[in-house]
Short mmCIF file of all heavy atoms in Angstrom, two decimals:
data_model
loop_
_atom_site.label_atom_id
_atom_site.label_comp_id
_atom_site.label_asym_id
_atom_site.label_seq_id
_atom_site.Cartn_x
_atom_site.Cartn_y
_atom_site.Cartn_z
N LYS A 348 28.57 7.95 20.97
CA LYS A 348 27.70 6.78 20.87
C LYS A 348 28.42 5.63 21.55
O LYS A 348 29.63 5.44 21.37
CB LYS A 348 27.44 6.46 19.39
CG LYS A 348 26.31 5.50 19.20
CD LYS A 348 25.75 5.60 17.80
CE LYS A 348 26.57 4.74 16.84
NZ LYS A 348 25.88 4.48 15.58
N TYR A 349 27.67 4.87 22.35
CA TYR A 349 28.27 3.75 23.07
C TYR A 349 28.98 2.80 22.11
O TYR A 349 28.44 2.43 21.07
CB TYR A 349 27.17 2.99 23.84
CG TYR A 349 27.66 1.68 24.38
CD1 TYR A 349 28.58 1.65 25.42
CD2 TYR A 349 27.24 0.48 23.84
CE1 TYR A 349 29.06 0.45 25.91
CE2 TYR A 349 27.71 -0.74 24.33
CZ TYR A 349 28.62 -0.74 25.36
OH TYR A 349 29.10 -1.93 25.84
N SER A 350 30.17 2.41 22.48
CA SER A 350 30.96 1.47 21.68
C SER A 350 31.33 0.28 22.57
O SER A 350 32.00 0.45 23.59
CB SER A 350 32.22 2.21 21.19
OG SER A 350 33.15 1.34 20.63
N PRO A 351 30.83 -0.93 22.22
CA PRO A 351 31.12 -2.09 23.09
C PRO A 351 32.60 -2.45 23.03
O PRO A 351 33.15 -2.59 21.95
CB PRO A 351 30.27 -3.21 22.47
CG PRO A 351 29.70 -2.69 21.20
CD PRO A 351 30.03 -1.26 21.03
N ARG A 352 33.22 -2.55 24.20
CA ARG A 352 34.65 -2.84 24.24
C ARG A 352 34.91 -4.22 24.82
O ARG A 352 34.45 -4.53 25.94
CB ARG A 352 35.38 -1.78 25.10
CG ARG A 352 35.12 -0.36 24.69
CD ARG A 352 35.45 -0.08 23.22
NE ARG A 352 36.87 -0.13 22.90
CZ ARG A 352 37.38 -0.84 21.89
NH1 ARG A 352 36.59 -1.57 21.11
NH2 ARG A 352 38.67 -0.82 21.66
N PRO A 353 35.66 -5.04 24.09
CA PRO A 353 35.96 -6.39 24.56
C PRO A 353 36.57 -6.36 25.96
O PRO A 353 37.40 -5.50 26.25
CB PRO A 353 37.00 -6.91 23.55
CG PRO A 353 36.87 -6.03 22.35
CD PRO A 353 36.31 -4.73 22.80
N GLY A 354 36.11 -7.28 26.80
CA GLY A 354 36.69 -7.39 28.14
C GLY A 354 35.99 -6.55 29.19
O GLY A 354 36.26 -6.70 30.37
N THR A 355 35.05 -5.67 28.77
CA THR A 355 34.32 -4.86 29.75
C THR A 355 32.99 -5.54 30.08
O THR A 355 32.44 -6.28 29.24
CB THR A 355 34.06 -3.44 29.21
OG1 THR A 355 33.27 -3.55 28.03
CG2 THR A 355 35.35 -2.70 28.90
N PRO A 356 32.44 -5.29 31.26
CA PRO A 356 31.19 -5.97 31.67
C PRO A 356 30.02 -5.74 30.71
O PRO A 356 29.17 -6.62 30.57
CB PRO A 356 30.89 -5.37 33.04
CG PRO A 356 32.21 -4.87 33.55
CD PRO A 356 33.00 -4.47 32.34
N ALA A 357 29.94 -4.58 30.07
CA ALA A 357 28.78 -4.29 29.23
C ALA A 357 28.91 -4.89 27.82
O ALA A 357 27.97 -4.81 27.01
CB ALA A 357 28.57 -2.78 29.13
N TYR A 358 30.07 -5.48 27.53
CA TYR A 358 30.38 -5.89 26.16
C TYR A 358 29.30 -6.75 25.51
O TYR A 358 28.93 -6.53 24.35
CB TYR A 358 31.71 -6.63 26.13
CG TYR A 358 32.15 -7.06 24.76
CD1 TYR A 358 32.35 -6.11 23.75
CD2 TYR A 358 32.36 -8.40 24.45
CE1 TYR A 358 32.75 -6.49 22.49
CE2 TYR A 358 32.76 -8.80 23.18
CZ TYR A 358 32.95 -7.83 22.20
OH TYR A 358 33.34 -8.21 20.94
N ASP A 359 28.77 -7.72 26.27
CA ASP A 359 27.83 -8.68 25.69
C ASP A 359 26.37 -8.26 25.81
O ASP A 359 25.48 -8.99 25.37
CB ASP A 359 27.99 -10.05 26.38
CG ASP A 359 29.31 -10.68 25.99
OD1 ASP A 359 29.73 -10.49 24.85
OD2 ASP A 359 29.91 -11.36 26.86
N ARG A 360 26.12 -7.11 26.42
CA ARG A 360 24.71 -6.73 26.62
C ARG A 360 24.08 -6.31 25.28
O ARG A 360 24.76 -5.75 24.42
CB ARG A 360 24.62 -5.57 27.62
CG ARG A 360 25.16 -5.98 28.99
CD ARG A 360 24.99 -4.85 30.00
NE ARG A 360 25.83 -5.11 31.18
CZ ARG A 360 26.12 -4.20 32.11
NH1 ARG A 360 25.63 -2.97 32.02
NH2 ARG A 360 26.89 -4.51 33.12
N PRO A 361 22.77 -6.58 25.13
CA PRO A 361 22.11 -6.26 23.86
C PRO A 361 22.19 -4.76 23.57
O PRO A 361 21.93 -3.93 24.44
CB PRO A 361 20.65 -6.69 24.09
CG PRO A 361 20.56 -7.19 25.48
CD PRO A 361 21.89 -7.20 26.12
N GLU A 362 22.54 -4.47 22.33
CA GLU A 362 22.77 -3.06 21.96
C GLU A 362 21.49 -2.35 21.56
O GLU A 362 20.56 -2.97 21.05
CB GLU A 362 23.75 -3.00 20.79
CG GLU A 362 25.19 -3.09 21.25
CD GLU A 362 26.16 -3.06 20.09
OE1 GLU A 362 26.17 -2.04 19.37
OE2 GLU A 362 26.90 -4.05 19.91
N VAL A 363 21.47 -1.06 21.75
CA VAL A 363 20.40 -0.20 21.25
C VAL A 363 20.53 -0.15 19.72
O VAL A 363 21.65 -0.12 19.19
CB VAL A 363 20.54 1.21 21.85
CG1 VAL A 363 19.63 2.22 21.16
CG2 VAL A 363 20.26 1.17 23.36
N GLU A 364 19.41 -0.16 19.05
CA GLU A 364 19.36 -0.03 17.58
C GLU A 364 20.25 1.15 17.14
O GLU A 364 20.06 2.27 17.63
CB GLU A 364 17.90 0.26 17.22
CG GLU A 364 17.54 0.10 15.77
CD GLU A 364 17.45 -1.36 15.37
OE1 GLU A 364 16.86 -2.17 16.13
OE2 GLU A 364 18.01 -1.67 14.32
N PRO A 365 21.21 0.91 16.20
CA PRO A 365 22.12 1.99 15.84
C PRO A 365 21.41 3.27 15.37
O PRO A 365 21.84 4.38 15.73
CB PRO A 365 22.96 1.41 14.71
CG PRO A 365 22.88 -0.07 14.89
CD PRO A 365 21.56 -0.36 15.56
N ALA A 366 20.32 3.13 14.61
CA ALA A 366 19.63 4.33 14.10
C ALA A 366 19.02 5.12 15.27
O ALA A 366 19.00 6.35 15.24
CB ALA A 366 18.54 3.93 13.11
N VAL A 367 18.54 4.40 16.27
CA VAL A 367 17.97 5.06 17.45
C VAL A 367 19.07 5.81 18.20
O VAL A 367 18.91 6.97 18.59
CB VAL A 367 17.27 4.03 18.37
CG1 VAL A 367 16.84 4.65 19.68
CG2 VAL A 367 16.09 3.39 17.65
N ALA A 368 20.20 5.13 18.38
CA ALA A 368 21.32 5.77 19.08
C ALA A 368 21.80 7.01 18.32
O ALA A 368 22.08 8.04 18.92
CB ALA A 368 22.47 4.77 19.26
N ASP A 369 21.86 6.90 16.98
CA ASP A 369 22.29 8.05 16.17
C ASP A 369 21.36 9.24 16.37
O ASP A 369 21.81 10.38 16.53
CB ASP A 369 22.32 7.68 14.68
CG ASP A 369 23.54 6.85 14.33
OD1 ASP A 369 24.57 7.00 15.00
OD2 ASP A 369 23.44 6.03 13.39
N ALA A 370 20.05 8.95 16.34
CA ALA A 370 19.08 10.03 16.49
C ALA A 370 19.20 10.68 17.87
O ALA A 370 19.15 11.91 18.00
CB ALA A 370 17.66 9.49 16.28
N ARG A 371 19.41 9.87 18.89
CA ARG A 371 19.57 10.42 20.24
C ARG A 371 20.83 11.27 20.35
O ARG A 371 20.83 12.33 20.98
CB ARG A 371 19.62 9.28 21.28
CG ARG A 371 18.28 8.62 21.49
CD ARG A 371 18.37 7.52 22.53
NE ARG A 371 17.13 6.75 22.56
CZ ARG A 371 17.03 5.53 23.08
NH1 ARG A 371 18.08 4.94 23.63
NH2 ARG A 371 15.88 4.90 23.05
N LEU A 372 21.88 10.77 19.73
CA LEU A 372 23.14 11.52 19.77
C LEU A 372 22.96 12.90 19.13
O LEU A 372 23.41 13.91 19.67
CB LEU A 372 24.26 10.73 19.06
CG LEU A 372 25.67 11.34 19.14
CD1 LEU A 372 26.16 11.41 20.58
CD2 LEU A 372 26.66 10.54 18.30
#
Side-chain angles (χ1 to χ4, degrees):
K348 194 159 84 163
Y349 169 70
S350 169
R352 306 304 291 129
T355 60
Y358 182 60
D359 290 326
R360 297 184 196 166
E362 278 179 61
V363 169
E364 194 74 44
V367 172
D369 283 331
R371 288 181 189 161
L372 185 63

